[in-house]
Amino acid sequence: MNIQFEAVTKYYNQGNERITALQDVSFQVNSGESLAVIGQSGSGKTTLLSLLAGLETCESGTIQLGATTVSALPDSQFTKFRALHMGIVFQQYHLMPHLTALENVLLPLEINHVSQAREKASDILVQVGLEKRLRHLPSQMSGGENQRVAIARAMVHGPQIILADEPSGSLDLKNGEMVMDLLFRLCDQAQSTLILVTHDNGLARRCKKTLHLKGGKIV
Ligand code: ADP
Ligand code: MG
């Protein structure tokens, strides 16, 4: 699914102060391509992902995902759109702590009423190398394993857009590389559009395009 930002501006109000988190941001990513979003802390990277995911709304501009102008969707419809078409990977995994690996991966399938959910969930856990961890809780797995479960959960329902915010940021070098190789490989296989927020220029170079933010603007 292609992604288009057209003159997007986002403010946060904090007390009497208005913080411009993104200012007049326009870019386009074609279906199946990858975009790295780089920039210093506070430059607007997470805000950009939050707008894409419909977790925040923008003051002006339009965001178009495929044929849908999502910036005009009411919350309830954006929630459905997100569940069906997006997978999100966070730096801190954000798995449900009381659910096993398999149960965490089942969640997006259950939300979307997908048939043969257990087979699909275990298949993707095998693909990420966790066939021996299906019944483990997040607390019983390493950071790298948790992030592989999170990637499986983000991708199990075949979303056309993957959003990832510093997915290797909490991992050591070896596990970070393993997780990133996996994410790139699965996105490629599924022809998903990948938006990757990263501090790592080496990782950014693996993406087809790079967007450099500074103070909420593209540089
Ligand atoms: P990054 O992810 O690049 O570190 P963010 O998108 O989190 O940057 O933040 C961009 C700017 O918006 C920063 O100045 C930050 O302090 C501000 N900001 C982010 N979220 C909020 C919020 N919920 N309320 C007020 N200001 C915020
Ligand atoms: Mg951030």
Side-chain angles (χ1 to χ4, degrees):
M1 192 179 285
N2 62 308
I3 296 174
Q4 193 164 2
F5 268 52
E6 192 61 53
V8 171
T9 295
K10 167 72 185 168
Y11 304 116
Y12 291 108
N13 289 313
Q14 212 168 39
N16 292 330
E17 217 189 330
R18 195 170 77 169
I19 297 163
T20 306
L22 288 179
Q23 191 173 354
D24 198 25
V25 168
S26 302
F27 66 90
Q28 191 182 333
V29 188
N30 294 325
S31 195
E33 280 184 1
S34 53
L35 173 78
V37 181
I38 60 170
Q40 290 178 350
S41 185
S43 60
K45 306 182 297 295
T46 297
T47 300
L48 188 146
L49 277 199
S50 302
L51 291 172
L52 267 173
L55 304 173
E56 297 280 358
T57 53
C58 55
E59 271 58 55
S60 61
T62 54
I63 301 172
Q64 181 126 0
L65 303 180
T68 310
T69 304
V70 291
S71 47
L73 284 183
D75 271 359
S76 60
Q77 283 188 44
F78 208 136
T79 302
K80 281 185 199 151
F81 186 94
R82 183 194 314 122
L84 202 55
H85 298 297
M86 290 188 196
I88 309 180
V89 182
F90 301 92
Q91 181 173 346
Q92 296 297 340
Y93 331 129
H94 289 279
L95 297 174
M96 300 294 250
H98 58 290
L99 298 182
T100 64
L102 184 67
E103 289 164 346
N104 267 285
V105 176
L106 276 168
L107 289 174
L109 299 173
E110 286 166 352
I111 289 168
N112 290 304
H113 308 289
V114 175
S115 62
Q116 295 176 307
R118 290 190 93 78
E119 286 93 322
K120 284 173 184 155
S122 32
D123 279 357
I124 196 157
L125 281 165
V126 172
Q127 276 192 60
V128 302
L130 294 177
E131 59 280 354
K132 299 217 170 85
R133 297 285 182 272
L134 302 193
R135 279 167 225 294
H136 283 58
L137 294 170
S139 60
Q140 299 168 324
M141 293 182 286
S142 70
E145 288 172 338
N146 273 299
Q147 195 60 305
R148 282 187 276 153
V149 175
I151 289 173
R153 179 183 60 180
M155 301 208 60
V156 68
H157 55 305
Q160 290 163 284
I161 295 176
I162 301 294
L163 308 177
D165 198 348
E166 298 276 3
S168 55
S170 301
L171 303 174
D172 61 38
L173 196 64
K174 182 168 146 277
N175 278 294
E177 272 177 10
M178 186 190 216
V179 154
M180 288 313 305
D181 285 349
L182 190 65
L183 188 62
F184 280 117
R185 178 161 57 79
L186 291 180
C187 282
D188 223 39
Q189 259 175 32
Q191 278 296 292
S192 305
T193 310
L194 171 67
I195 309 293
L196 170 70
V197 167
T198 180
H199 275 99
D200 182 337
N201 288 329
L203 273 185
R205 277 194 292 273
R206 291 180 68 174
C207 292
K208 168 130 191 196
K209 288 181 177 170
T210 301
L211 191 76
H212 188 170
L213 290 175
K214 193 169 187 178
K217 291 186 205 160
I218 295 178
V219 291

